[in-house]
Amino acid sequence: DYNKTTRTIVMTSGEALFDVGHHTGKPFIVKLGTTQIEDIGTSFTIQKGDKEIYVSVTSGKVVFVKLGNKETRELTAGTSVTFNVQNESFGETKSIKSSSKANEQTLNFENTPLSDVMVSIQKVYGKRIIISDNNIANKKITAQLDGMPYNTVLKVICKSLGLVYSLNDSVY
C-alpha cells in the first residue's frame, strides 16, 4: 500500500534519518507503536529504543503525535524532543545549538547529547551521519568546533568519546 494514498513506515527499533519531499496528497508517516511522526516536508532523525524515542529535525518540520490522546509536539528545524515510552510522556522540546556565519561554521556544544551534535553537524556540512548504538547517541560532549573541517570535527568527537567512525556509501 506504500505510496498509493499515504507513505507509511512502521519502525520497531533502531535509528533512521529521513529526508522527505512533501506531498500534500500523500503524507509521510512513521509509526512508532503508541506514537507516530508526521512529516511536513523535512529531514529528521528518529532513535527508537525500548525506553524512549528521540526525534531531532534538521530541516523543515514534523508533528510528533501520541496516538492515545492525540497530544502533539510540532518540531521545526534545529529542535528535538524525547518521548518516554514507559510513562507515555513528552520531554521538553529543546533547541539544537548550531549556527553558521558567512564562510565560517560555528558549532559550540555544552553537555550536549551526541545525537544532537550529529544533527547540527549534518546541517552545517550536509553529510549523512548514523549513530549505530543508542547508548552512544546519549553520550554528552562539551566542545567548541568553530571553523574546523568536517573530518577534523569527526576526529575530535571520536577521540573525546573513545569512538570510531567509518564511511559507507556517503554515510558516516
Side-chain angles (χ1 to χ4, degrees):
D1 293 334
Y2 184 84
N3 213 23
K4 290 184 179 169
T5 57
T6 64
R7 299 170 293 162
T8 303
I9 294 174
V10 176
M11 185 172 171
T12 57
S13 66
E15 178 179 356
L17 169 65
F18 298 94
D19 191 359
V20 181
H22 182 64
H23 295 286
T24 303
K26 294 180 184 176
F28 182 82
I29 298 169
V30 180
K31 293 191 176 254
L32 302 158
T34 61
T35 62
Q36 71 183 27
I37 304 294
E38 299 172 10
D39 147 69
I40 308 177
T42 187
S43 294
F44 59 101
T45 300
I46 300 172
Q47 295 171 352
K48 184 176 190 288
D50 293 334
K51 296 179 181 178
E52 68 181 22
I53 301 167
Y54 173 81
V55 178
S56 58
V57 179
T58 307
S59 66
K61 61 183 169 178
V62 299
V63 176
F64 194 169
V65 182
K66 180 179 169 185
L67 297 175
N69 63 4
K70 302 295 184 196
E71 180 182 357
T72 64
R73 292 293 184 277
E74 187 172 294
L75 301 172
T76 57
T79 61
S80 67
V81 72
T82 300
F83 181 82
N84 183 310
V85 174
Q86 294 171 332
N87 297 338
E88 292 195 6
S89 62
F90 286 101
E92 180 182 333
T93 300
K94 296 182 178 179
S95 177
I96 301 167
K97 299 174 186 174
S98 76
S99 64
S100 61
K101 298 176 185 173
N103 300 328
E104 181 184 313
Q105 291 84 22
T106 303
L107 296 167
N108 295 311
F109 305 98
E110 186 173 325
N111 201 28
T112 305
L114 183 60
S115 53
D116 287 355
V117 172
M118 290 301 144
V119 168
S120 297
I121 291 170
Q122 288 180 104
K123 184 176 180 181
V124 169
Y125 293 98
K127 309 277 187 178
R128 291 190 55 199
I129 305 168
I130 296 174
I131 301 174
S132 61
D133 182 331
N134 282 339
N135 292 326
I136 293 171
N138 293 324
K139 286 188 173 200
K140 302 208 181 206
I141 188 167
T142 298
Q144 293 184 350
L145 306 170
D146 299 338
M148 291 183 184
Y150 179 72
N151 286 335
T152 303
V153 168
L154 287 184
K155 287 176 185 175
V156 167
I157 290 170
C158 288
K159 181 92 170 163
S160 298
L161 297 176
L163 304 172
V164 295
Y165 73 92
S166 61
L167 176 61
N168 260 345
D169 296 327
S170 301
V171 178
Y172 288 85

